[in-house]
Amino acid sequence: MLAELTIKGFLAETAGSAPVPGGGSISALNGAIAAALAEMVANLTIGKKKYADVEGQMKTIATEAALIRERLIRDIDRDSEAYDRVFAAFKLPKETEEEKAERSRVIQDATKEAAMVPMQVAEEVGSVMETIIYVAHKGNRNAVTDACVAMMAARTCVLGALLNVRINLTSIQDEEFVKRMSEKADHLEAEAIRIEKKLLDWVREQL
Amino acid sequence: MLAELTIKGFLAETAGSAPVPGGGSISALNGAIAAALAEMVANLTIGKKKYADVEGQMKTIATEAALIRERLIRDIDRDSEAYDRVFAAFKLPKETEEEKAERSRVIQDATKEAAMVPMQVAEEVGSVMETIIYVAHKGNRNAVTDACVAMMAARTCVLGALLNVRINLTSIQDEEFVKRMSEKADHLEAEAIRIEKKLLDWVREQL
C-alpha cells in the first residue's frame, strides 16, 4: 500500500520514471490531506469554552473526517491500480478478430473504470469542501489559515482528479457515458473553484 | 523527521489536536510534491526519441528537482520547528521588567523567523513553477496532466506558505520588515495565481 511508504519514499517513487504513482494518486493524497486538516481544525476547537456552542458539530466532523481520510488514503492506491489495468489491457493479444474485439472491450471497460475512480474521489472531496467552510467559519480562529490550506488541497484533489477523468474520457467510445461524466466534471470543477476562492478571499480580507 | 513517517502516520499526526504539523508543513509537503512530479515528467521524457532535442534540459531539470525536493522535505520540519520556537518564547518568564523586555525580544525574533521560513519556501517553489511550465510544454505529452497537478501543488505551497507569512506579520512590530515582507508576499501570490491559471487554461483547452 502506497500510504505505508514514508513520505520521503513515496515522493521518490513519484519522482521516478514510472507513470504511477503520478497526478492521480497525488490528487487522492491531497484529498486525504484536506480531510486531515479539517479534522485538525475540529480537534483544535473541541473542548474550548469559547466554541462550546459548536462542540457537538465539531465532534461529528472530526469523526467523519477521519473516515473520509481513511477512504482517500485507499484511493491513492486505487488510482494507480486503475491505471495499471488500462496499461495491462493494451498488452492483450490482437492476432485474431475475436482477440481484437475482446481486447478492445477490455480496454474500454478498464478506461471507464479509470474515469470512475477519480470521479468518485472528486465527488467525495466536494463534500469535504463544505465541511472545511464550516470549520473555517465556526472553528478555532487560530486555525483559520490551516482551514485555507485544507481548502487548497481539496481544490487540487478535485481539479486533479477531474483532469484524470477527462483524459480518460477522450478514449471512451460510449457517448452517453462521456456526456454524463463530462457534465458532472464541469459542474464539480466550477464548484470547487468557486468555493475555494470564496474562502481564500474572505480570509485574505482579514490578514 | 516528519518525512520519515509513513503517509498514513503523518496524516494522523496532522489530524490530531496539536497545531503542528498543520498548514505550514502541508504547504512545504506540497512544494516537495510539485518538485517530485516535475521530476517525474522530466524522467518520462528522457530517453524518448521524440523528445531528443530537450534531452539535456530534462536531465538538468530532473537533477535539480531532486535537490529541491530534498530541501522542501526538510522544510516540512522547519516550519513546525519555527512554530514551536514562537510557542516556547511565549512561555518565558515575565515577572520583572528585564524579563518582560527579554521575553518580548525573543518573541519578536522567533516570529520574524516564523515568517522568514515560509517566505523562503514560497520563493523556492516560485522557481519550481517556471520549471513545471517548461516540462508541461516541452516534456512527454502523456504526462501533461501530471504537470498540471504539480502546478496546483506548487500553488498550494506558495499560497499556503504566504498565509503563514502574513499571519506572523500581524504580530511583528518592526514596520520596515513588515512592509518589505508583505510587498514580497503580494508579488509572489499574484504570480503563483497567474502562472497556475495560465497552464490550467491551456491544458483544459486541449481536453
Side-chain angles (χ1 to χ4, degrees):
Chain A
M1 194 190 191
L2 289 165
E4 305 283 0
L5 295 177
T6 63
I7 289 177
K8 258 187 135 161
F10 174 74
L11 292 180
E13 278 285 309
T14 302
S17 60
V20 289
S25 289
I26 293 293
S27 298
L29 171 60
N30 262 296
I33 285 172
L37 283 173
E39 197 180 337
M40 180 183 91
V41 181
N43 279 326
L44 285 167
T45 307
I46 293 167
K48 301 266 192 311
K49 255 190 188 162
K50 198 175 158 189
Y51 304 100
D53 57 324
V54 290
E55 177 93 3
Q57 290 92 317
M58 291 294 164
K59 282 183 175 167
T60 307
I61 285 172
T63 309
E64 285 179 2
L67 293 172
I68 295 176
R69 167 162 61 89
E70 289 299 324
R71 278 205 292 278
L72 286 161
I73 280 174
R74 284 193 294 272
D75 289 330
I76 300 172
D77 282 279
R78 278 180 74 214
D79 192 274
S80 292
E81 286 159 10
Y83 176 93
D84 287 337
R85 273 196 296 276
V86 176
F87 197 75
F90 273 98
K91 294 195 166 172
L92 289 174
K94 47 177 178 176
E95 298 292 307
T96 67
E97 285 310 308
E98 285 90 51
E99 282 177 356
K100 277 184 196 166
E102 171 65 6
R103 176 174 175 273
S104 169
R105 197 190 56 73
V106 176
I107 290 174
Q108 284 294 309
D109 283 354
T111 309
K112 277 187 179 177
E113 173 73 12
M116 285 188 291
V117 168
M119 180 59 91
Q120 268 179 20
V121 168
E123 286 180 307
E124 174 116 86
V125 176
S127 81
V128 173
M129 285 184 142
E130 299 297 333
T131 303
I132 296 168
I133 288 282
Y134 184 84
V135 297
H137 285 84
K138 302 283 182 182
N140 192 326
R141 294 301 300 151
N142 296 330
V144 74
T145 59
D146 299 295
C148 289
V149 177
M151 189 59 100
M152 292 191 265
R155 170 186 177 273
T156 296
C157 175
V158 174
L159 302 189
L162 294 177
L163 280 174
N164 256 18
V165 170
R166 292 184 201 281
I167 209 146
N168 283 300
L169 292 184
T170 60
S171 19
I172 292 171
Q173 287 149 10
D174 177 347
E175 285 176 20
E176 191 49 50
F177 179 90
V178 172
K179 187 170 177 288
R180 190 159 32 89
M181 294 286 273
S182 43
E183 283 171 2
K184 205 189 263 186
D186 288 346
H187 171 71
L188 289 171
E189 183 180 289
E191 275 298 284
I193 292 169
R194 186 186 65 78
I195 294 173
E196 190 231 25
K197 189 174 183 312
K198 202 173 153 192
L199 178 64
L200 295 193
D201 287 350
W202 179 69
V203 172
R204 277 287 279 117
E205 273 170 32
Q206 303 165 55
L207 288 180
Chain B
M1 194 190 192
L2 289 165
E4 304 285 358
L5 295 176
T6 63
I7 289 178
K8 260 186 134 161
F10 174 73
L11 291 180
E13 278 285 307
T14 301
S17 61
V20 287
S25 288
I26 293 294
S27 299
L29 171 59
N30 262 297
I33 286 172
L37 283 173
E39 197 180 335
M40 179 183 90
V41 180
N43 279 326
L44 285 167
T45 308
I46 294 166
K48 302 266 193 312
K49 255 190 189 163
K50 197 174 159 190
Y51 303 100
D53 55 326
V54 290
E55 177 93 4
Q57 289 93 317
M58 291 293 165
K59 283 183 174 169
T60 306
I61 285 172
T63 309
E64 285 179 1
L67 293 173
I68 295 176
R69 166 162 61 90
E70 290 297 325
R71 278 205 292 278
L72 286 161
I73 280 174
R74 284 193 294 272
D75 289 330
I76 300 172
D77 282 281
R78 277 180 75 213
D79 192 275
S80 293
E81 286 160 10
Y83 177 92
D84 287 337
R85 273 195 296 276
V86 176
F87 196 75
F90 273 98
K91 294 195 165 172
L92 288 175
K94 47 178 178 176
E95 298 292 307
T96 67
E97 285 308 309
E98 284 90 51
E99 281 177 356
K100 277 184 196 164
E102 172 64 7
R103 176 173 174 274
S104 169
R105 197 190 57 73
V106 176
I107 289 174
Q108 284 294 309
D109 283 355
T111 310
K112 276 187 178 176
E113 174 72 13
M116 285 189 290
V117 168
M119 180 60 92
Q120 266 180 22
V121 169
E123 285 180 309
E124 175 115 86
V125 176
S127 82
V128 173
M129 285 186 141
E130 299 297 332
T131 303
I132 296 168
I133 288 283
Y134 185 85
V135 298
H137 285 84
K138 302 284 182 181
N140 192 326
R141 293 301 301 154
N142 296 330
V144 75
T145 60
D146 299 295
C148 288
V149 177
M151 188 60 99
M152 292 190 266
R155 170 186 177 273
T156 296
C157 175
V158 173
L159 302 188
L162 294 177
L163 280 174
N164 255 18
V165 170
R166 291 186 202 278
I167 209 147
N168 283 300
L169 292 184
T170 61
S171 15
I172 292 171
Q173 286 149 11
D174 178 346
E175 285 177 20
E176 191 48 49
F177 179 89
V178 172
K179 186 170 178 288
R180 190 160 34 87
M181 293 287 272
S182 45
E183 283 171 3
K184 205 188 262 188
D186 289 345
H187 171 70
L188 289 171
E189 183 180 287
E191 276 298 285
I193 292 170
R194 186 186 65 78
I195 294 174
E196 191 230 26
K197 189 174 183 311
K198 202 174 153 192
L199 179 64
L200 295 193
D201 288 348
W202 179 68
V203 172
R204 277 287 279 116
E205 272 170 33
Q206 303 165 56
L207 287 181

